[in-house]
Amino acid sequence: MRTRLIDVLLATLLLAASSLACAADDDKDADASADKDAKSAKKDEKPIPPERTLVSHGSADISERTIHYTATAGSLLIRDDKENKPNASVF
């Protein structure tokens, strides 16, 4: 009878210890997944391109006439009104 009581107590202690260990592992897994989500969110973020303008000059000969031109191309950042953070870049 006494050995059976000791066996029951040992089994109870083992179950309690294993449930605490599992709970600690779950907390670590939750922290690890939160860190992983934060890292993947940073990885998905693309760097903000600088606003810049490129200008080129040229000429074309059309029907014995020379036409001189200037072409301007550039990127423009579209910003959020409230936070003034860039939302998009248009070229």
Side-chain angles (χ1 to χ4, degrees):
M1 174 113 165
R2 192 169 233 192
T3 55
R4 184 175 174 129
L5 179 63
I6 292 173
D7 290 342
V8 169
L9 286 174
L10 283 175
T12 304
L13 286 173
L14 286 173
L15 285 174
S18 66
S19 66
L20 289 175
C22 287
D25 285 343
D26 289 343
D27 290 341
K28 287 180 185 177
D29 290 343
D31 291 342
S33 66
D35 289 341
K36 186 178 179 182
D37 291 342
K39 286 180 183 178
S40 67
K42 280 188 176 182
K43 186 186 283 185
D44 290 342
E45 280 187 24
K46 295 184 178 178
I48 299 168
E51 286 186 314
R52 64 182 185 179
T53 303
L54 302 172
V55 178
S56 65
H57 303 279
S59 63
D61 293 323
I62 301 172
S63 297
E64 299 179 4
R65 296 179 73 186
T66 301
I67 299 173
H68 298 280
Y69 64 88
T70 301
T72 305
S75 61
L76 177 68
L77 291 178
I78 299 173
R79 298 182 179 273
D80 185 9
D81 291 336
K82 295 179 183 176
E83 299 177 18
N84 201 26
K85 287 184 175 180
N87 285 338
S89 175
V90 179
F91 179 77

